[in-house]
Amino acid sequence: MTRPEDATPTKHPPRKAPQRVQKVDVGGADKLVMRKGREERVANGYPWVFSGEVYQVPPPEMDGQIMPVEDARGRLLGLGMINTKSNIVLRVLTRQREPVDRDFFKRRLTEAIAYRERYAKLDPSPNAGYRLIHAEADGLPALIVDRYGSFLVVQALALGIAERMPMIVELLAELTGCKGIYERSDVLVRNLEGLPQATGVLYGEAPPADLVIEEHGSKFRVDVATGQKTGFFLDQRLNRQRVRELARGRVLNTFCYTGGFSIAAALGGAEEVVSVDISADAIALAEENARLNGVEAKCTWQAANAFDALREYEKAGEKFDVVILDPPAFTKNKDSVPGAVRGYKEINLRALRLLNPGGLLVTSSCSHHISPAL
């Protein structure tokens, strides 16, 4: 019989100190709080906060207002505009606590305009066309402002900016001295913000139907009211200049729209420019642009489906020294990426087959779901 004093004592593991559960302030009507582990992108400068990244979406009556966003530890990530109707629940305006008022927007607009006009001296014509305000890139989320000579064309792509448009228009008129400001907020992305389509004159005069802009010595008539985007593809401005420098021999421009790349090539070293677009109205405007620049003798135009035209040129054994592909977006969402990839593969492969040895392919994509690597 073992005496109690002879028994081996039972070893119990040391008791752990009770852990304190960190309570997270989930926000509400006064702020957004990002879920733990989801804040890194925004902390590193990403300008959008998605509804699935926050603990609690604020009530709808906060839509359009300025609200702080914090991480789960209560550290400020920024101030931005709220929209509970959108998957992008907050668009960051600033990374510090400061009044987001008229003076704030005036300062941001002034800085962006000064930045653009400094580089616009490369094209000093008073009738030049270029992007004046570039949304998130200028700390003004969802605001696009394009300058066409003495006129501005604006797009408001999110609720917060749309609600502040009267103030923004007033500031733009004051800062630029423009003759008129026209709205082209007729884009599908506004549906995702719970906003209707909107077009029309917001200030001063309406842009004339025969509005002509200048770009690196070339001239283009711009249809501000009904043209693609805000009337012209200003994002290809520097690429058109580069094509003008490189063009030679026989050039094919597909998805040519109103002939931006075609005119650039014809004013450069091209001997012949063949251009294709599915829109007869765009082709008519392109022909007018060729006459404006005195290159109509070099240019031929075809209103046709570019996919069909590329097949026909290949079948006929046609050859070119430069082929330009500037198609519209083949995909607007991730689900249609496989089909878009097939489309990009087809047009690029056919374009390569049409090139003479040593020829140049100029290829573009405006589908943001298609990565450069893909």
Side-chain angles (χ1 to χ4, degrees), residues 5 80 116 148 177 187 192 195 204 238 248 339 347 366:
E5 58 267 27
R116 290 307 173 315
Y148 294 108
V187 286
L192 303 177
L195 292 169
L238 295 179
R248 60 183 176 83
I347 62 173
C366 61

Side-chain angles (χ1 to χ4, degrees), residues 17 45 54 57 100 103 126 157 165 204 215 235 248 250 282 327 350:
V54 299
V57 174
V100 181
D103 288 342
L157 306 179
M165 190 53 70
E215 180 183 280
D235 56 337
R248 60 183 176 83
R250 194 175 189 220
R350 292 190 184 280

Side-chain angles (χ1 to χ4, degrees), residues 215 218 220 232-233 236 240-241 243-244 253 255-267 275 286 289 301 324:
E215 180 183 280
S218 55
F220 297 102
F232 198 62
F233 288 98
Q236 294 281 32
R240 284 189 286 268
Q241 184 183 26
V243 163
R244 182 170 176 172
N253 182 18
F255 309 95
C256 72
Y257 188 45
T258 57
F261 280 115
S262 305
I263 305 305
L267 288 171
S275 304
N289 285 333
W301 309 91
I324 301 165

